[in-house]
């Protein structure tokens, strides 16, 4: 800048802007010293101040990397706020019906989690070069992989590609997975809110149209009632309407599975709590026992709880461990 040259300032503007940011770390140390020397009554508030200050420091530090991504496509904007970041070894696999179609070589990537996208970059010095991204709005995750405490899996809904991320430590993986789960749940809540508003608008429009044409509606209902009474007199119970089919809103594969209540389904124990991210998934609690009904693609299984209310849904197979088979005996009469 011209003013810098006139004043003889040799350092760039970014160097002067960095000075206030560096003071934040001194505030953190000051608050910690005050907390150590304070009475128990005031210690809680000071510890809370330290926690807030650490959050501000982390947010400022993370925001410094946002402008360093080289080759970031314009279509990804807006990325949203930067939530967190971590370095992972990333392995991409394409799975279909539990068979691996291809597997890419494991590569080191710096992963930045934004509100709307996860961005995978290759780090070169202080620069980050864009490689690919995943939309958090259609993202699924599994943070528990049996025997791999530092790994987690990501996938996009409706696709068979699986992205396995391995962190340097277990804590780094758990911290990143916790923040990612919050982002996914926020997207789910926003989508449910938009769906509710659309349904409310549709009901309102239908009510208005029904009110305006009430006379013709009553006429059609009267005609329908007469036709229905004649049909029932000719053969009651002979044909069922498709609208009464309890499986109409389910997929054909799920409907066929629900019809079968044979006690021969293999049983699995839940290894950890799992919170469903869509209406088709099943909430799981550690220690619960489920029956495997169907093996889907990309590591998803359709399971049923073995206790009331016998709920059914899709769950990640990595959360399940097979129970040993028990010998059954038949009672003879």
């Amino acid at each position: 800048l011209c003013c810098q040259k006139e004043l003889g300032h040799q350092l760039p503007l970014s160097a002067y802007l960095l000075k206030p940011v560096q003071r934040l770390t001194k505030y953190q140390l000051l608050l910690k010293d005050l907390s150590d020397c304070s009475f128990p009554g005031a210690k809680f508030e000071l510890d809370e101040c330290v926690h807030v200050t650490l959050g501000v420091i982390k947010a400022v530090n993370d925001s410094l990397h946002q402008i360093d991504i080289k080759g970031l496509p314009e279509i990804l904007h807006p990325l949203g706020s930067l939530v967190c970041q971590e370095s992972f070894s990333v392995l991409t696999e394409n799975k279909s019906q539990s068979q691996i179609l291809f597997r890419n070589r494991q590569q080191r990537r710096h992963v930045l989690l934004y509100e709307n996208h996860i961005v995978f970059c290759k780090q070169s010095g202080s620069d980050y070069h864009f490689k690919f991204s995943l939309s958090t709005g259609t993202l699924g995750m599994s943070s528990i992989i049996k025997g791999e405490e530092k790994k987690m899996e990501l996938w996009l809904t409706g696709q068979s590609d699986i992205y396995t991320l391995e962190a340097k430590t277990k804590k780094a993986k758990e911290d990143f997975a916790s923040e990612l789960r919050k982002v996914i749940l926020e997207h789910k809540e926003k989508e449910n809110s938009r769906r509710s508003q659309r349904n409310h608008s549709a009901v309102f429009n239908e009510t208005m149209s029904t009110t305006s044409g009430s006379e013709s509606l009553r006429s059609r209902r009267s005609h329908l009632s007469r036709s229905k009474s004649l049909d029932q007199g000719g053969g009651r119970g002979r044909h069922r309407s498709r609208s009464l089919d309890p499986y109409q809103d389910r997929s054909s594969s799920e409907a066929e599975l629900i019809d079968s209540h044979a006690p021969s389904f293999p049983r699995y124990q839940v290894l950890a709590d799992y919170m469903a991210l869509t209406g088709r998934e099943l909430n799981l609690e550690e220690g619960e026992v489920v029956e495997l009904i169907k093996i889907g693609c990309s590591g998803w299984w359709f399971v049923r709880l073995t206790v009331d209310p016998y709920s059914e849904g899709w769950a990640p197979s990595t959360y399940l461990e097979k129970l040993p088979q028990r010998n059954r005996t038949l009672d003879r009469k």
Side-chain angles (χ1 to χ4, degrees), residues 12 16 22 29 33 66 81 96 117 192 194 216 220 232 276:
Y16 296 98
Q22 292 174 338
L29 297 175
D33 290 340
Q66 184 167 351
S81 301
S96 180
H117 294 276
N192 290 339
R194 287 193 293 265
S216 60
R220 290 196 299 270
Q232 290 177 346

Side-chain angles (χ1 to χ4, degrees), residues 75-189:
I75 196 173
L76 296 184
H77 293 288
L79 292 171
S81 301
L82 181 63
V83 179
C84 65
Q85 57 183 315
E86 187 59 63
S87 294
F88 292 94
S89 293
V90 181
L91 176 67
T92 305
E93 298 176 333
N94 185 289
K95 295 183 178 180
S96 180
Q97 298 297 332
S98 301
Q99 295 181 354
I100 299 178
L101 300 183
F102 74 81
R103 174 184 292 159
N104 288 343
R105 183 170 58 88
Q106 191 170 8
Q107 295 175 324
R108 197 73 188 172
R109 293 289 181 257
H110 193 77
V111 183
L112 299 101
L113 172 60
Y114 295 90
E115 291 179 337
N116 299 324
H117 294 276
I118 297 183
V119 180
F120 294 78
C121 301
K122 180 180 179 180
Q123 186 174 2
S124 177
S126 59
D127 295 331
Y128 297 91
H129 300 273
F130 174 82
K131 289 301 179 180
F132 67 96
S133 66
L134 301 174
S135 172
T136 54
T138 58
L139 194 68
M141 64 170 291
S142 174
S143 59
I144 296 181
I145 301 177
K146 186 177 179 181
E148 301 289 350
E149 62 181 14
K150 295 187 292 185
K151 289 184 179 182
M152 60 183 296
E153 290 184 344
L154 306 178
W155 60 87
L156 292 176
T157 303
Q159 298 186 16
S160 56
D161 288 349
I162 300 292
Y163 304 89
T164 303
L165 280 60
E166 182 177 5
K168 293 181 179 179
T169 64
K170 178 182 178 182
K171 186 180 184 303
K173 185 265 292 188
E174 291 178 346
D175 291 344
F176 188 88
S178 176
E179 295 297 331
L180 177 57
R181 187 176 290 106
K182 293 177 185 178
V183 172
I184 294 176
L185 290 176
E186 287 177 1
H187 276 282
K188 180 183 177 183
E189 292 174 357

Side-chain angles (χ1 to χ4, degrees), residues 242-288:
R242 290 191 61 184
S243 62
L244 299 178
D245 186 357
Y247 303 138
Q248 181 178 356
D249 295 333
R250 303 175 184 265
S251 65
S252 59
S253 59
E254 292 181 21
E256 294 171 0
L257 293 170
I258 293 172
D259 286 337
S260 174
H261 295 283
S264 59
F265 294 119
R267 295 193 170 195
Y268 289 78
Q269 187 175 23
V270 179
L271 298 175
D273 294 347
Y274 175 76
M275 181 179 296
L277 301 178
T278 68
R280 292 170 59 85
E281 298 177 14
L282 181 65
N283 287 317
L284 300 176
E285 293 184 5
E286 183 178 356
E288 287 184 328

